[in-house]
Amino acid sequence: MTSSIAFKTFTGLRHSSAEPSTLQNKVPSVSSPNHCRRRLQITAGKFSPKVQNRNLRVAVIGGGPAGGAAAETLAKGGIETYLIERKLDNCKPCGGAIPLCMVGEFDLPLDIIDRKVTKMKMISPSNIAVDIGRTLKPHEYIGMVRREVLDSYLRERAATNGANVINGLFLKMDIPKGGRGSETAPYVLHYTEYNGKVGGAGQKKTLEVDAVIGADGANSRVAKSIGAGDYDYAIAFQERIKIPDDKMVYYENLAEMYVGDDVSPDFYGWVFPKCDHVAVGTGTVTHKGDIKKFQLATRNRAKDKILGGKIIRVEAHPIPEHPRPRRLLDRVALVGDAAGYVTKCSGEGIYFAAKSGRMCAEAIVEGSENGKRMVDESDLRKYLEKWDKTYWPTYKVLDVLQKVFYRSNPAREAFVEMCADEYVQKMTFDSYLYKRVVPGNPLDDLKLAFNTIGSLVRANALRKEMNKLSV
């Protein structure tokens, strides 16, 4: 199985001395959510001016889980909603795992879920496999979806609730100038619409709105428009492989995760089951130029189980590694990958994208009193406050775990060894499936701490022995 793909250069959002001083002075760069909260001054939404002879207009740029969830919530809340998405058949290179709580929270129909994974194998650099999932209850599972199916469903549901879905490419936006009246002046969006009537070149159009939600991914043009700052990003590479039916039986309710320097120096490789194929992929931040080599290694690690398979699709995409320095400016807010909401260690992003889109939209609906009043930055900042309070600890914990356990092959061996512990599995799955931290048993927590230290000590000793052999 061979494949090739040409990568487009990822355009980072660099700070520039040419950036207008009004942007730099208006909102200071922030390095943590606490910094935002210390400078916060809330203005009650009821004192905002009423919108005359119409409802509040909001544009959502990007039609993934974040954009679809935001557009639906806005439309339901009485907002005149526009969702602009260029690729309505977009297939993002994404493992496609969603937690059980997302199925309920977002009322997802079961027929868009390809597989219900109840078993996982964590496979160490030395190919020691640990079975994970023994603590799952009969009704619990990890959902596997195809992004083109999930994203389309969320957009269609938004449209059913009144959102205007536009097949278009967002180009730029004109931000209201400061001064009297700027707090109610519109944002002017420039985009190219592709409606099948004007040929492949599309038609240039503009749209005036009162607020903007940027849900346009890691290389967000909305983020660039508000000087949101730069961040590290990973390259995710994935191949969809159609394997023989007898081999597909093995993956009926099973997913695999491979760790090791061969598949990624700072992440993991995966084999996730879909409707009639498996998704095989990997990612890296530190060695992007070697991504094809890591992908080949992932395929080789799983070769006996995917033997005879045919690659039917190749996908690659940038994935953010941490939240942007700025996620909000005036009446423009970022959500999902555009805001940098992908977790370290696990690389999870679908749930957090949809959740952030919904949270942001809810803040706009509440602040505008269901579209009757203008919103301002204080209304949108309530979304950031709620988000940071709820999920910031999760991001920090997973960041630490990645730094501790992904730093070397011996550390990865220790990580896989820990995953064999049923208490670790229970705490991990409870946190993942329901997005809440379940209080642990103090004695089991103490035992886990000692086991963790023991695993890391053994890993360190193994690394020293390996270094001796390599000298």
Side-chain angles (χ1 to χ4, degrees), residues 10-11 13 59-68 70 83-87 90 92 147 168-173 189-190 212-226 228 231 317-318 320 324 327 332-340 353 356-357:
F10 178 87
T11 306
L13 305 183
V60 180
I61 311 301
L83 189 156
I84 301 176
E85 168 60 45
R86 174 63 183 103
K87 297 180 179 179
N90 186 38
K92 185 178 177 181
R147 281 292 302 274
L169 175 64
F170 170 74
L171 301 172
K172 64 177 183 176
M173 65 179 173
L189 309 186
H190 299 260
V212 179
I213 296 178
D216 50 339
N219 203 10
S220 168
R221 291 183 176 182
V222 176
K224 187 174 183 178
S225 296
I226 64 170
Y231 56 15
H317 200 74
R324 289 188 187 273
R327 292 167 286 160
V332 181
L334 304 177
V335 297
D337 282 13
S356 63

Side-chain angles (χ1 to χ4, degrees), residues 355-377:
K355 192 70 175 181
S356 63
R358 175 178 281 183
M359 276 188 180
C360 184
E362 287 173 342
I364 292 174
V365 171
E366 180 182 353
S368 68
E369 297 182 356
N370 295 95
K372 302 306 179 186
R373 293 184 180 275
M374 182 60 66
V375 292
D376 58 27
E377 184 172 307

Side-chain angles (χ1 to χ4, degrees), residues 54-59 74-75 77-82 162-164 207-210 371:
R54 61 176 176 83
N55 285 8
L56 189 77
R57 304 163 301 181
V58 178
L74 290 169
I79 309 297
E80 186 178 326
T81 306
Y82 299 88
N164 300 287
L207 175 68
E208 291 189 354
V209 294
D210 303 303

Side-chain angles (χ1 to χ4, degrees), residues 65 94-108 110 112-113 115-117 120 136 139-145 150 272 343 346-355 391 428-436:
C94 169
I98 62 172
L100 183 60
C101 65
M102 183 174 180
V103 178
E105 283 185 46
F106 289 86
D107 195 23
L108 299 179
L110 295 183
I112 72 169
I113 298 174
R115 300 280 176 174
K116 295 181 179 180
V117 168
M120 293 193 73
L136 289 179
H139 70 282
E140 293 179 328
Y141 62 88
I142 297 172
M144 290 290 167
V145 299
L150 174 66
F272 288 171
T343 59
S346 67
E348 183 187 3
I350 296 177
Y351 173 81
F352 294 112
K355 192 70 175 181
Y391 297 116
T428 299
F429 271 104
D430 284 351
S431 298
Y432 174 80
L433 292 178
Y434 302 107
K435 292 294 172 278
R436 65 172 185 262

Side-chain angles (χ1 to χ4, degrees), residues 10 14 218 230-234 285 288 318-323 340 344:
F10 178 87
R14 306 290 180 185
D230 198 7
Y231 56 15
D232 290 331
Y233 68 96
V285 176
K288 300 179 184 68
I319 305 294
E321 274 294 290
H322 58 78
K344 292 287 188 73

Side-chain angles (χ1 to χ4, degrees), residues 1-282:
M1 292 179 290
T2 60
S3 62
S4 63
I5 188 168
F7 293 112
K8 293 181 179 180
T9 302
F10 178 87
T11 306
L13 305 183
R14 306 290 180 185
H15 289 296
S16 171
S17 58
E19 183 178 325
S21 60
T22 52
L23 277 182
Q24 295 175 345
N25 295 333
K26 198 156 199 177
V27 177
S29 296
V30 295
S31 58
S32 73
N34 292 330
H35 187 90
C36 291
R37 286 194 286 270
R38 286 197 300 268
R39 303 180 70 90
L40 177 64
Q41 291 184 341
I42 295 292
T43 302
K46 65 181 179 181
F47 296 118
S48 299
K50 283 191 174 183
V51 180
Q52 300 296 322
N53 302 318
R54 61 176 176 83
N55 285 8
L56 189 77
R57 304 163 301 181
V58 178
V60 180
I61 311 301
E72 179 189 11
T73 303
L74 290 169
K76 282 182 174 179
I79 309 297
E80 186 178 326
T81 306
Y82 299 88
L83 189 156
I84 301 176
E85 168 60 45
R86 174 63 183 103
K87 297 180 179 179
L88 296 179
D89 60 346
N90 186 38
C91 304
K92 185 178 177 181
C94 169
I98 62 172
L100 183 60
C101 65
M102 183 174 180
V103 178
E105 283 185 46
F106 289 86
D107 195 23
L108 299 179
L110 295 183
D111 61 0
I112 72 169
I113 298 174
D114 284 343
R115 300 280 176 174
K116 295 181 179 180
V117 168
T118 56
K119 302 174 185 177
M120 293 193 73
K121 284 188 180 292
M122 178 69 73
I123 303 168
S124 76
S126 60
N127 279 327
I128 295 174
V130 169
D131 292 320
I132 302 175
R134 298 191 302 270
T135 63
L136 289 179
K137 298 179 178 64
H139 70 282
E140 293 179 328
Y141 62 88
I142 297 172
M144 290 290 167
V145 299
R146 283 165 290 158
R147 281 292 302 274
E148 64 269 29
V149 175
L150 174 66
D151 296 5
S152 177
Y153 173 78
L154 293 175
R155 287 194 302 267
E156 289 174 5
R157 197 164 70 179
T160 300
N161 283 280
N164 300 287
V165 177
I166 300 172
N167 183 194
L169 175 64
F170 170 74
L171 301 172
K172 64 177 183 176
M173 65 179 173
D174 299 331
I175 297 176
K177 304 295 184 182
R180 186 174 182 180
S182 62
E183 66 275 5
T184 59
Y187 291 82
V188 181
L189 309 186
H190 299 260
Y191 68 97
T192 302
E193 183 176 18
Y194 302 91
N195 56 17
K197 300 177 182 179
V198 292
Q203 182 179 8
K204 295 290 193 297
K205 288 192 173 183
T206 59
L207 175 68
E208 291 189 354
V209 294
D210 303 303
V212 179
I213 296 178
D216 50 339
N219 203 10
S220 168
R221 291 183 176 182
V222 176
K224 187 174 183 178
S225 296
I226 64 170
D230 198 7
Y231 56 15
D232 290 331
Y233 68 96
I235 283 292
F237 188 104
Q238 179 172 275
E239 296 165 326
R240 300 193 189 198
I241 302 178
K242 177 79 171 177
I243 61 177
D245 292 342
D246 60 325
K247 292 188 177 296
M248 196 68 205
V249 172
Y250 172 77
Y251 288 108
E252 181 179 1
N253 61 349
L254 171 74
E256 293 179 323
M257 297 173 64
Y258 294 86
V259 292
D261 282 333
D262 57 334
V263 299
S264 176
D266 53 344
F267 203 55
Y268 62 86
W270 64 83
V271 181
F272 288 171
K274 300 303 171 74
C275 59
D276 60 352
H277 63 276
V278 291
V280 181
T282 185

